[in-house]
Amino acid sequence: MSQSDLLTQLMESLRCLPGVGQKSAQRMAYHLLERNRDGGLRLAAALQEGLQRIGHCALCRDFTEQERCPICASSARDGSLLCVVETPADRLVIEQATGYRGLYFILQGRLSPLDGIGPRELGLDRLARRLAEGEVREMIIATNPTVEGEATAHYLAQLARQFEVKPSRLAHGVPIGGELEYVDRGTLAHAFGSRTDMP
Amino acid sequence: MSQSDLLTQLMESLRCLPGVGQKSAQRMAYHLLERNRDGGLRLAAALQEGLQRIGHCALCRDFTEQERCPICASSARDGSLLCVVETPADRLVIEQATGYRGLYFILQGRLSPLDGIGPRELGLDRLARRLAEGEVREMIIATNPTVEGEATAHYLAQLARQFEVKPSRLAHGVPIGGELEYVDRGTLAHAFGSRTDMP
Ligand SMILES: [Zn+2]
Ligand SMILES: [Zn+2]
């Protein structure tokens, strides 16, 4: 052991971040120690508070520390439109890229029977109860254009029809096999605007 | 504001890490929330403890939470050899890559008059007192081969000679396993000039 225990511990802890290997962890630890201890302490507080207090919105399953997320709690959103996405990151990018003013439902995943992820894990029972309430007219299915995302979209479209809700899907323009999170804003805005009815 | 305040705060705090932009910060926050809350809480604790308690070794200026770092505190190291490096990262890489068993002095920078970094900021008064004690026989100057690093090396060599300590410098040359074609001209010229006899 030729290094401070706390420094070793700090470097190792930083590797819990995605994309951070040994070398990056070293650089990060030294950077904080040498140049930004205050920023690092603020990060510690944000991690502690955030990871302990952020849960899921009771309505849409997005991350929030409240009972309802700001979007679900807003009276300015159109409750007749419900956009279903796989992840909070997808919701965020749609919110940033389009002028969409309806509500969301976040699956926190996609149907993947081999991984044991079925309708229950995606909260589809809750989604069904929501559709049963009758306010939603159109369900915009914005799962990723991957094999599993398409299968999930198909399942969701059936569910929508069951409650006489019109299912729609983002227009082509989203690259096949691509992930929403990495699509450029213009393409995404266009695709969102020209969403098509699902057959 | 369409997003949880704590989540926004977490994403913004993550940007204090070098190389982490908005997109990476988002990915990191979601990753921790979805898959590794425990790891994130451990990171929070390591940041808090490390950034508050890690200071500098009284002898070599390396990072440590003790009065002396593990290397300076070890009785197994050779006190007649002192290797001077710019940063703790440089010390770490020498420690990992070589069999060096002497001691270190970490400048935490290099001479850079335009940035107001002079001998005092690099702790050279402390280094001088160390050399004056008479135990050090050779000072291995391992500053970077940059303009400022070379200027610092020159200054350090003069300081060493003042105390009758032998200054030495890492050899420059073609990297092992490297291809001549891709070595920069300066290095190649130097390597050519300081060629050694083959046994
Ligand atoms: Zn919500
Ligand atoms: Zn030390």
Side-chain angles (χ1 to χ4, degrees):
Chain A
M1 197 54 220
S2 69
Q3 184 175 272
S4 143
D5 290 344
L6 289 183
L7 182 53
T8 304
Q9 197 177 300
L10 176 55
M11 287 174 179
E12 276 167 14
S13 306
L14 282 162
R15 299 186 60 183
C16 74
L17 299 171
V20 175
Q22 195 188 340
K23 204 79 195 173
S24 311
Q26 270 178 30
R27 209 177 67 242
M28 287 174 168
Y30 286 134
H31 174 89
L32 294 177
L33 282 166
E34 285 161 15
R35 283 191 280 275
N36 199 359
R37 292 196 186 217
D38 286 349
L41 287 171
R42 277 194 299 274
L43 171 58
L47 282 166
Q48 203 143 35
E49 207 181 354
L51 296 177
Q52 278 169 348
R53 289 185 45 205
I54 296 173
H56 295 284
C57 172
L59 286 180
C60 74
R61 306 181 97 213
D62 196 8
F63 289 121
T64 180
E65 65 273 24
Q66 312 289 338
E67 163 82 8
R68 294 187 182 190
C69 74
I71 291 182
C72 288
S74 163
S75 58
R77 311 288 301 213
D78 180 353
S80 72
L81 295 174
L82 186 68
C83 178
V84 183
V85 293
E86 293 183 17
T87 68
D90 293 339
R91 185 199 65 70
L92 185 58
V93 78
I94 287 177
E95 196 68 10
Q96 287 168 346
T98 75
Y100 181 64
R101 300 299 298 161
L103 296 172
Y104 293 91
F105 187 84
I106 290 116
L107 300 172
Q108 301 276 7
R110 52 197 156 188
L111 289 177
S112 179
L114 292 180
D115 302 316
I117 300 174
R120 173 185 293 271
E121 285 68 31
L122 301 183
L124 298 193
D125 45 345
R126 202 189 295 182
L127 178 61
R129 283 198 301 276
R130 174 109 168 239
L131 298 180
E133 287 166 8
E135 196 185 348
V136 178
R137 297 290 181 82
E138 178 182 353
M139 187 162 88
I140 302 165
I141 302 171
T143 53
N144 284 313
T146 57
V147 174
E148 288 176 341
E150 292 293 355
T152 307
H154 186 73
Y155 189 99
L156 288 168
Q158 285 182 312
L159 186 72
R161 284 189 207 97
Q162 213 175 302
F163 293 97
E164 289 173 4
V165 170
K166 186 179 79 156
S168 62
R169 188 95 174 96
L170 297 199
H172 281 303
V174 178
I176 304 291
E179 301 211 45
L180 280 195
E181 198 179 337
Y182 300 103
V183 172
D184 69 282
R185 288 178 175 215
T187 304
L188 187 59
H190 173 87
F192 203 87
S194 23
R195 61 188 181 273
T196 56
D197 291 347
M198 286 187 77
Chain B
M1 196 56 222
S2 68
Q3 184 176 275
S4 143
D5 289 343
L6 289 183
L7 182 54
T8 304
Q9 198 178 299
L10 176 55
M11 287 174 179
E12 276 166 13
S13 305
L14 281 162
R15 299 186 59 183
C16 75
L17 299 172
V20 175
Q22 197 188 339
K23 202 82 194 170
S24 311
Q26 271 178 28
R27 209 176 66 243
M28 286 174 169
Y30 286 133
H31 174 88
L32 293 177
L33 282 166
E34 285 161 14
R35 282 191 280 275
N36 198 359
R37 293 197 187 217
D38 286 349
L41 287 171
R42 276 194 299 274
L43 172 58
L47 282 166
Q48 204 142 34
E49 206 181 357
L51 296 177
Q52 278 170 347
R53 288 186 45 206
I54 296 173
H56 296 284
C57 172
L59 286 179
C60 73
R61 305 182 96 215
D62 196 6
F63 288 121
T64 179
E65 64 272 24
Q66 312 290 338
E67 163 81 8
R68 295 187 181 188
C69 74
I71 291 181
C72 288
S74 163
S75 58
R77 312 287 301 212
D78 179 354
S80 72
L81 294 173
L82 187 69
C83 178
V84 183
V85 293
E86 293 183 16
T87 67
D90 293 338
R91 185 199 65 71
L92 186 58
V93 78
I94 288 177
E95 196 68 10
Q96 286 166 346
T98 74
Y100 181 64
R101 301 299 297 161
L103 296 171
Y104 293 91
F105 187 85
I106 289 116
L107 299 171
Q108 301 276 6
R110 52 197 157 188
L111 290 177
S112 180
L114 292 179
D115 302 316
I117 299 175
R120 174 185 293 270
E121 284 68 30
L122 302 183
L124 298 193
D125 45 344
R126 202 189 295 182
L127 177 61
R129 284 198 300 277
R130 174 110 168 239
L131 298 180
E133 287 166 8
E135 195 185 347
V136 178
R137 296 292 181 82
E138 178 182 353
M139 188 163 89
I140 302 165
I141 303 172
T143 53
N144 284 313
T146 58
V147 174
E148 287 176 342
E150 292 293 356
T152 307
H154 185 73
Y155 189 100
L156 288 168
Q158 284 183 312
L159 185 72
R161 283 188 207 101
Q162 213 175 305
F163 293 96
E164 290 173 1
V165 169
K166 186 181 79 159
S168 62
R169 188 99 174 92
L170 298 197
H172 291 310
V174 179
I176 294 178
E179 300 203 52
L180 282 194
E181 197 181 340
Y182 300 105
V183 173
D184 70 281
R185 288 173 175 218
T187 302
L188 191 57
H190 176 93
F192 202 87
S194 25
R195 62 189 177 276
T196 55
D197 290 347
M198 289 186 74

